[in-house]
Each structure stands twice: as C-alpha cells, then as structure tokens.
Amino acid sequence: MVDLEKASPGRSPEREPVPRADGEGCLVVAVRLPVRIVVLVLVLPVRMAWDALVVAGRFLRDTVLRPVGRALAWLGRALFVWPLVGLWRYVVVPVAKGVGWLGNVLLVVPAVWLYRRVLTPVGHALGWFFRGVGAVLAALGRGLYAGLAWLVGGLYAGLAWFGRGVYCGLAWLARYLVVVPAAWFYAWVLTPIGHLLAWCGRGLAWCGRGVLWCLGQIVTGIGAVLYWTVRILLVLPALAVWRWVLVPVGRALAVVGREVLDAIGHAWRVAGHLSRAVGRALAALFRWTVAEPARWVYRSVLTPVGHAVRDTVLRPLAEAARSARRAGRQALGSVRLSVRQARADLRRTLFGEPVRTPSVDRREPSGARTRTLEKRT
C-alpha cells in the first residue's frame, strides 16, 4: 500500500510502534505479572528440591550405584559367564567332538561300507531282474490290451446302434405325448390367465401408489412440525449458549491457561537460575569453610609432619630393613655354597672324579678353513 503522506523529518518509519500479532489486551498484560509472581513463589521450592534431588542422585550414582553395579557385573561374570564358558570350552566341545568321532567310526563308516559293498550290488541285481520281469509283463499287457480293445470296440458299435434306435423312438413318443399337449395348454389356458392376473396387478399397483403418496404427505407434514419444534426449542438456544456463553468463556480460559503455562515455564527457568546461584553460594561456603582449611592443614601441617616422620623414622627403618635383608641373603648364599661344596666333596669321595667329555667346537670354521661346495673343506 502506498503512503501518500510525507514523513516528518524528525520521525523515522522504523521507530513506529508495530502492533502485536497475537492481539493481547490490557487485561492480559495486567494479569500476567501477578500470575508470574505467584507461580514463581510456588515453583521455586519445587525447583530447589528437584535440583537437590538431582545432585543427591548423581552423587549416589557415582559413589554407590556405579561401583555396586560394576561389582555385581564382575560377580555375575565370575559366577555364571566364566563357568559356562569353561564348561562349554573344556567339557561340551571335547565331548561333542568325541561323540562325533565315535558316531563316525561306529555308524557312518559301517553304513557307507554297507551301502557301497552290499546294498549297491544287490540293488543293481534287483534292478536288472525287475527290468526283465517288467519287459515280459509289458509284452503280455500289450497283447491283452489289443484283444480287449477289439472286443470292446465291437460291443461299443452294437450298443451305439441299439442306443440310436431307442433314442429315436423315445424322442417321437416325447414329442407327441409331452411337447404338443404342453404347447396347447400354455397357449389356450395359461396365457389368458396370466393376462388377467397382470391387469389385476396393475390396478393394485395404482392403488398402492395413491396410498403411499397420501402417507408421504402426512409424514412430510409431521416431519416439518417436528423439525421446527426441535429447531426453536433446542437448536437455537444451544447455538445461542455456544456463541454467547461457551465461546467467550473458552477463550478466557484458554488465555488464562496459556498465561499460567507461560508463567510456569518462566518461573521454572527463573527458579533454575536462582537454584544455581544458591548452589554456587553453598559450594563457595563449603569451599571456604571446609575445603580451604582442610587443604591448608594438609599442605602446611600434615605434609611437613609426614616428611619429617619419613626422613627421621621411616627412611632409617627402611635402610635398616634393607641392610638386614641383604645380610641375610649373603648369609644364605654362603651357606648354600658351603653345602654345594660339601656335597661335591662327598660325591668325589664315594664315586671318584667324574669323567669329563671332550667339548666339541660347534662354531663356524675360520677364514683359512672356510666351507666350500665340495666334499672337503
């Protein structure tokens, strides 16, 4: 649409107020703020309790449920999976392989030998025998079939000639005893009676149409009266109630419901920010009242004391223990060497000096005696 008025130099078209698309009224704007305040007061404790439950649940999950779940999983593997795997791998599979080998040796190999060495020759012999018997029986069957075919052909020709004669006689009798009397009866008796019944039926049909027209007019009048009665007594009041009562009330309830839902969502988000701020404040308070003093005590008191105890008590005790262990190991080594020497002296005394076998030089020959492809080196 073209604007025919000039814009004033102090007013720009971008700063003109733009009407809202949802068409909110002043009542909605006036009701929105109190509703949001009330809903925030109601939702804030619920949101803080929910956040506290979430934090407690995460702590419980990380410290109790997850280790317990891992322990139960390991216990389940140790009690069920690993024994079943070991049973399958070291019992079921070897037993199945043994049973398979035993079945192959006791059943398959004898069955194959029986089929190849006994059943196959017997089957070939029986096949040759039955082929010969079948050829003989086929020749006999062809002869019998030819004789029976000639006999049946003769009997069929005789029966066909006799049947044609019987058929011609029965057809002549049926024509002059059944067809001709039936045609005369239809033409001179049934046709006039049928015409009379048709005329009577047309008269009755005309009477029925008149009666039905009268009934239709009566039913139409009654229906029109009932229609206007129901329309005036039920439809128009119901339409007025719907249009002037239910629709405005429904729109008002829809606006209230929408505002309440928007207020609940806004209050839930604001309560989340407040709950986060409270949580951070509590975390900072815990940090400066418990964590920082504990860290200062650990760093400034316990660590120097631990280092002093380590340097003055634990380290000398460890050095003394290592020295004692080293001395004990040396004493055991000397005792072991003495026992070995005494055992060697006793063996030489009882059995004499052992015979030393000459050592064989298994190294590669030197440069002057290198290997060649000939039989000599």
Side-chain angles (χ1 to χ4, degrees):
M1 182 175 180
V2 180
D3 189 5
L4 299 179
E5 296 182 358
K6 294 183 179 180
S8 61
R11 181 173 59 90
S12 60
E14 290 80 10
R15 296 183 180 180
E16 293 182 356
V18 179
R20 295 179 59 91
D22 51 0
E24 295 180 349
C26 59
L27 182 61
V28 175
V29 178
V31 170
R32 179 178 297 167
L33 187 60
V35 169
R36 289 193 175 184
I37 292 174
V38 172
V39 172
L40 177 62
V41 173
L42 295 176
V43 170
L44 182 60
V46 178
R47 181 59 189 265
M48 295 187 68
W50 174 259
D51 292 339
L53 290 177
V54 170
V55 173
R58 290 178 180 176
F59 177 76
L60 184 65
R61 180 195 63 187
D62 296 335
T63 57
V64 178
L65 297 180
R66 186 173 294 171
V68 170
R70 291 177 179 175
L72 291 177
W74 182 85
L75 185 62
R77 286 196 300 270
L79 293 179
F80 297 102
V81 178
W82 294 341
L84 291 177
V85 170
L87 181 65
W88 172 264
R89 184 177 297 174
Y90 298 108
V91 178
V92 176
V93 173
V95 170
K97 289 182 179 179
V99 171
W101 178 83
L102 188 63
N104 184 27
V105 172
L106 296 180
L107 297 178
V108 177
V109 174
V112 170
W113 180 86
L114 180 64
Y115 173 78
R116 185 176 297 173
R117 302 298 180 182
V118 179
L119 297 180
T120 300
V122 172
H124 290 172
L126 291 176
W128 177 81
F129 173 73
F130 284 116
R131 279 196 298 272
V133 172
V136 174
L137 293 177
L140 292 176
R142 282 195 295 271
L144 292 175
Y145 175 75
L148 290 175
W150 179 82
L151 181 60
V152 169
L155 292 174
Y156 177 75
L159 291 174
W161 179 81
F162 178 74
R164 281 196 296 271
V166 172
Y167 174 74
C168 291
L170 292 176
W172 184 84
L173 291 175
R175 178 179 176 82
Y176 288 100
L177 294 178
V178 177
V179 177
V180 173
W184 180 87
F185 183 75
Y186 175 78
W188 298 102
V189 177
L190 296 179
T191 300
I193 294 174
H195 290 172
L196 179 62
L197 292 177
W199 182 81
C200 294
R202 283 194 295 271
L204 292 176
W206 183 83
C207 295
R209 281 197 298 270
V211 173
L212 290 176
W213 181 82
C214 294
L215 291 176
Q217 294 298 324
I218 295 171
V219 171
T220 303
I222 295 173
V225 172
L226 292 176
Y227 168 75
W228 285 106
T229 302
V230 173
R231 180 178 175 84
I232 293 172
L233 294 179
L234 296 178
V235 177
L236 294 179
L239 183 61
V241 171
W242 170 262
R243 183 175 296 173
W244 302 106
V245 178
L246 295 180
V247 171
V249 172
R251 289 177 180 175
L253 292 178
V255 171
V256 172
R258 185 176 68 248
E259 291 300 325
V260 169
L261 290 178
D262 294 340
I264 289 174
H266 183 73
W268 186 262
R269 290 189 295 271
V270 173
H273 291 293
L274 294 177
S275 177
R276 183 181 299 174
V278 171
R280 290 179 178 176
L282 292 177
L285 181 64
F286 178 79
R287 177 183 176 185
W288 291 108
T289 56
V290 178
E292 289 295 334
R295 185 172 64 178
W296 179 83
V297 169
Y298 176 77
R299 182 179 296 176
S300 302
V301 178
L302 298 180
T303 301
V305 171
H307 290 175
V309 171
R310 182 192 63 188
D311 296 335
T312 59
V313 178
L314 298 180
R315 187 169 292 171
L317 290 177
E319 290 293 336
R322 282 196 294 271
S323 300
R325 186 170 60 251
R326 191 181 303 111
R329 190 164 51 248
Q330 291 177 358
L332 289 177
S334 61
V335 169
R336 190 181 300 110
L337 181 61
S338 300
V339 171
R340 189 181 298 113
Q341 290 178 357
R343 190 172 55 206
D345 294 338
L346 181 61
R347 187 185 301 110
R348 280 195 301 270
T349 302
L350 296 176
F351 302 104
E353 192 71 23
V355 178
R356 296 182 178 274
T357 57
S359 61
V360 179
D361 191 5
R362 297 182 179 275
R363 296 178 299 173
E364 292 290 334
S366 59
R369 298 169 54 224
T370 56
R371 293 180 179 179
T372 60
L373 299 177
E374 299 178 358
K375 294 183 178 180
R376 58 185 181 82
T377 56

